[in-house]
Amino acid sequence: MSKEHFNQDLIQFLNASPTPYHAVATMVAKLEKAGFQPLDESEAWTLKEGENYYVTRNGSSIIAFTLGKPELGARMVGAHTDAPCLKVKPHPEMSRHSYFQLGVEVYGGVLLNPWFDRDLSIAGRVQYLNDQQQLCHQLINFERPIAIVPSLAIHLDREVNSGRAVNTQTDIPPILFQLADDENVDFRELLKEELVRQGHSDCQEVMEYDLSFYDTQSAAVIGLKNNFIASARLDNLLSCYVGLESLLNHKGSDTTALLVCNDHEEVGSVSTTGAQGPFLKSVLERIYGTGESLTRAMSRSMLISTDNAHGIHPNYASKHDEHHAPKLNQGAVIKVNANQRYATNDETSALYRILCQASGSKVQHFVTRTDMACGSTIGPLTAGVLGVRTLDLGLPTFGMHSIRELAGTEDAFELSQTLVNFFKTKSLPS
Ligand SMILES: [Zn+2]
């Protein structure tokens, strides 16, 4: 696959994945096309060496793997499916000054200002009763722009450019339409109409939902010299896509190659589906057994946790340590933090750099300014659950947690080639 083809496929993946549910569904479709077999957590598993499998939990986290020889351990890549966004509240209907709006909850660390004046849509999962009174669930995506959060005119807030705070309760409920006099709207009825319109005519009553707003603008290659990819949810669907392509393209290896993409990273990872929950450990126990067997397997294994890094921004360069200031299109970034906000250690960092030397890939380092707090990711949490050696790695981006983030067009393709080699790595130091 050429780099251009890879990036075009990435753009389709980003557009098709407005929520973790859609991201997992998109990944499942690619895995099934490549012959991966579904596993059901509620059934007994009979796994065979050399075969390809995947399993999902709650439809929002996924683990896919090619089973290798148990004595070689696993080469694992981790990422997360969720992104900061605005979620629809359970009783969201608001009718104010003739406008119908939806009350929203802020999910994760949303950069709020970029959400104003965007053409928004809604996607997620709906629980409904069908005509047999059975509870069913269905992914839903309105696709078309159906809502907007208009800015306040500068004439009504002269201080806006020098200091604007956004109140999350009062300032961001999106407007969906204008109401007729005395019109009463039930959001669940609107959902039912949309489900029927999308072909689910068995829907009798919408019970509950997990719905998010998202920007309808397509991901795109941009810049005068096509240096950049702009999109929502690059954190961290970029890593999900790179990990998936690497798993699909690695062939002829005896080691177990595994990709885990967890939900709920942006809200701390403690959940049934999150990296600090039991999902990955339970799958590894089914592969290797429990107790000592698992400990021995993990001591022969390695995890690369992939989550984006902060590239140095030319307008805000002082926010970086000048010696640890990654640039877009200059390679994946090894993320280091002495206080273990990142799980990278000297050994995993050195092993990754050897992989880069072998494949001719570029590599950079990131350490937060010593006088600033450091973010974290699934790496330390997964390492803490499994006791597996871990590298925290990420592609350099701008605008993390904005509704439109920016990555380089060179980096993702190059990282996927390095991760293919990682999946094939036979021996690790003991
Ligand atoms: Zn992230």
PDB file of all heavy atoms in Angstrom, residues 80 82 235-236 265-266 306-308 376-377 400-401, ligand 1:
ATOM      1  N   HIS A  80      -6.707   3.981  22.114  1.00  0.00           N
ATOM      2  CA  HIS A  80      -8.049   4.145  22.679  1.00  0.00           C
ATOM      3  C   HIS A  80      -9.039   4.658  21.644  1.00  0.00           C
ATOM      4  O   HIS A  80      -8.666   5.391  20.721  1.00  0.00           O
ATOM      5  CB  HIS A  80      -8.040   5.009  23.941  1.00  0.00           C
ATOM      6  CG  HIS A  80      -7.631   6.439  23.751  1.00  0.00           C
ATOM      7  ND1 HIS A  80      -8.529   7.436  23.429  1.00  0.00           N
ATOM      8  CD2 HIS A  80      -6.419   7.057  23.874  1.00  0.00           C
ATOM      9  CE1 HIS A  80      -7.894   8.595  23.375  1.00  0.00           C
ATOM     10  NE2 HIS A  80      -6.618   8.400  23.628  1.00  0.00           N
ATOM     11  N   ASP A  82     -12.020   6.301  22.310  1.00  0.00           N
ATOM     12  CA  ASP A  82     -12.867   7.452  22.668  1.00  0.00           C
ATOM     13  C   ASP A  82     -12.136   8.768  22.430  1.00  0.00           C
ATOM     14  O   ASP A  82     -10.903   8.801  22.343  1.00  0.00           O
ATOM     15  CB  ASP A  82     -13.298   7.347  24.139  1.00  0.00           C
ATOM     16  CG  ASP A  82     -12.117   7.339  25.115  1.00  0.00           C
ATOM     17  OD1 ASP A  82     -11.073   6.740  24.791  1.00  0.00           O
ATOM     18  OD2 ASP A  82     -12.233   7.965  26.186  1.00  0.00           O
ATOM     19  N   ASP A 235      -6.794  12.056  18.046  1.00  0.00           N
ATOM     20  CA  ASP A 235      -6.546  11.455  19.369  1.00  0.00           C
ATOM     21  C   ASP A 235      -7.801  10.655  19.723  1.00  0.00           C
ATOM     22  O   ASP A 235      -8.785  11.249  20.128  1.00  0.00           O
ATOM     23  CB  ASP A 235      -6.255  12.558  20.388  1.00  0.00           C
ATOM     24  CG  ASP A 235      -6.104  12.026  21.802  1.00  0.00           C
ATOM     25  OD1 ASP A 235      -5.944  10.808  21.961  1.00  0.00           O
ATOM     26  OD2 ASP A 235      -6.162  12.833  22.745  1.00  0.00           O
ATOM     27  N   ASN A 236      -7.878   9.341  19.515  1.00  0.00           N
ATOM     28  CA  ASN A 236      -6.717   8.546  19.231  1.00  0.00           C
ATOM     29  C   ASN A 236      -7.030   7.543  18.114  1.00  0.00           C
ATOM     30  O   ASN A 236      -6.444   6.490  18.029  1.00  0.00           O
ATOM     31  CB  ASN A 236      -6.282   7.829  20.512  1.00  0.00           C
ATOM     32  CG  ASN A 236      -4.925   7.200  20.404  1.00  0.00           C
ATOM     33  OD1 ASN A 236      -4.159   7.483  19.504  1.00  0.00           O
ATOM     34  ND2 ASN A 236      -4.663   6.282  21.283  1.00  0.00           N
ATOM     35  N   GLU A 265     -10.480   6.111  27.829  1.00  0.00           N
ATOM     36  CA  GLU A 265      -9.172   6.667  28.211  1.00  0.00           C
ATOM     37  C   GLU A 265      -9.308   8.118  28.641  1.00  0.00           C
ATOM     38  O   GLU A 265      -8.639   8.571  29.568  1.00  0.00           O
ATOM     39  CB  GLU A 265      -8.187   6.557  27.040  1.00  0.00           C
ATOM     40  CG  GLU A 265      -6.747   6.901  27.408  1.00  0.00           C
ATOM     41  CD  GLU A 265      -6.405   8.384  27.307  1.00  0.00           C
ATOM     42  OE1 GLU A 265      -7.180   9.146  26.691  1.00  0.00           O
ATOM     43  OE2 GLU A 265      -5.364   8.783  27.849  1.00  0.00           O
ATOM     44  N   GLU A 266     -10.182   8.848  27.955  1.00  0.00           N
ATOM     45  CA  GLU A 266     -10.278  10.290  28.216  1.00  0.00           C
ATOM     46  C   GLU A 266     -10.911  10.612  29.565  1.00  0.00           C
ATOM     47  O   GLU A 266     -10.923  11.770  29.982  1.00  0.00           O
ATOM     48  CB  GLU A 266     -11.067  10.976  27.082  1.00  0.00           C
ATOM     49  CG  GLU A 266     -10.440  10.820  25.700  1.00  0.00           C
ATOM     50  CD  GLU A 266      -9.117  11.552  25.546  1.00  0.00           C
ATOM     51  OE1 GLU A 266      -8.707  12.243  26.489  1.00  0.00           O
ATOM     52  OE2 GLU A 266      -8.490  11.397  24.483  1.00  0.00           O
ATOM     53  N   THR A 306       0.144   3.389  22.053  1.00  0.00           N
ATOM     54  CA  THR A 306       0.240   4.470  21.063  1.00  0.00           C
ATOM     55  C   THR A 306      -0.866   5.489  21.301  1.00  0.00           C
ATOM     56  O   THR A 306      -2.050   5.156  21.252  1.00  0.00           O
ATOM     57  CB  THR A 306       0.143   3.918  19.624  1.00  0.00           C
ATOM     58  OG1 THR A 306      -1.011   3.084  19.534  1.00  0.00           O
ATOM     59  CG2 THR A 306       1.363   3.109  19.275  1.00  0.00           C
ATOM     60  N   ASP A 307      -0.479   6.700  21.585  1.00  0.00           N
ATOM     61  CA  ASP A 307      -1.416   7.795  21.822  1.00  0.00           C
ATOM     62  C   ASP A 307      -0.667   9.070  21.443  1.00  0.00           C
ATOM     63  O   ASP A 307       0.521   9.198  21.724  1.00  0.00           O
ATOM     64  CB  ASP A 307      -1.827   7.789  23.304  1.00  0.00           C
ATOM     65  CG  ASP A 307      -3.103   8.570  23.557  1.00  0.00           C
ATOM     66  OD1 ASP A 307      -3.625   9.163  22.609  1.00  0.00           O
ATOM     67  OD2 ASP A 307      -3.555   8.584  24.713  1.00  0.00           O
ATOM     68  N   ASN A 308      -1.357  10.013  20.845  1.00  0.00           N
ATOM     69  CA  ASN A 308      -0.651  11.129  20.213  1.00  0.00           C
ATOM     70  C   ASN A 308       0.185  11.954  21.188  1.00  0.00           C
ATOM     71  O   ASN A 308      -0.080  11.986  22.388  1.00  0.00           O
ATOM     72  CB  ASN A 308      -1.652  12.034  19.503  1.00  0.00           C
ATOM     73  CG  ASN A 308      -2.362  11.299  18.376  1.00  0.00           C
ATOM     74  OD1 ASN A 308      -1.917  10.231  17.959  1.00  0.00           O
ATOM     75  ND2 ASN A 308      -3.456  11.844  17.900  1.00  0.00           N
ATOM     76  N   SER A 376      -1.365  11.870  30.839  1.00  0.00           N
ATOM     77  CA  SER A 376      -1.070  10.447  30.905  1.00  0.00           C
ATOM     78  C   SER A 376      -1.917   9.716  29.857  1.00  0.00           C
ATOM     79  O   SER A 376      -2.627  10.334  29.079  1.00  0.00           O
ATOM     80  CB  SER A 376      -1.335   9.892  32.298  1.00  0.00           C
ATOM     81  OG  SER A 376      -0.782   8.589  32.403  1.00  0.00           O
ATOM     82  N   THR A 377      -1.814   8.394  29.857  1.00  0.00           N
ATOM     83  CA  THR A 377      -2.463   7.612  28.809  1.00  0.00           C
ATOM     84  C   THR A 377      -2.638   6.170  29.287  1.00  0.00           C
ATOM     85  O   THR A 377      -2.449   5.883  30.480  1.00  0.00           O
ATOM     86  CB  THR A 377      -1.648   7.728  27.500  1.00  0.00           C
ATOM     87  OG1 THR A 377      -2.262   6.925  26.497  1.00  0.00           O
ATOM     88  CG2 THR A 377      -0.207   7.269  27.687  1.00  0.00           C
ATOM     89  N   MET A 400      -4.461  19.005  20.337  1.00  0.00           N
ATOM     90  CA  MET A 400      -5.051  17.820  20.960  1.00  0.00           C
ATOM     91  C   MET A 400      -6.322  18.198  21.722  1.00  0.00           C
ATOM     92  O   MET A 400      -6.339  19.173  22.463  1.00  0.00           O
ATOM     93  CB  MET A 400      -4.030  17.169  21.906  1.00  0.00           C
ATOM     94  CG  MET A 400      -4.453  15.783  22.374  1.00  0.00           C
ATOM     95  SD  MET A 400      -3.246  15.024  23.487  1.00  0.00           S
ATOM     96  CE  MET A 400      -1.928  14.570  22.356  1.00  0.00           C
ATOM     97  N   HIS A 401      -7.379  17.415  21.504  1.00  0.00           N
ATOM     98  CA  HIS A 401      -8.709  17.598  22.108  1.00  0.00           C
ATOM     99  C   HIS A 401      -9.495  18.752  21.495  1.00  0.00           C
ATOM    100  O   HIS A 401     -10.560  19.112  21.997  1.00  0.00           O
ATOM    101  CB  HIS A 401      -8.639  17.743  23.630  1.00  0.00           C
ATOM    102  CG  HIS A 401      -8.170  16.487  24.304  1.00  0.00           C
ATOM    103  ND1 HIS A 401      -8.252  16.284  25.664  1.00  0.00           N
ATOM    104  CD2 HIS A 401      -7.624  15.356  23.797  1.00  0.00           C
ATOM    105  CE1 HIS A 401      -7.762  15.094  25.965  1.00  0.00           C
ATOM    106  NE2 HIS A 401      -7.371  14.520  24.831  1.00  0.00           N
TER     107      HIS A 401
HETATM  108 ZN    ZN B   1      -5.391  10.156  23.687  1.00  0.00          ZN
END
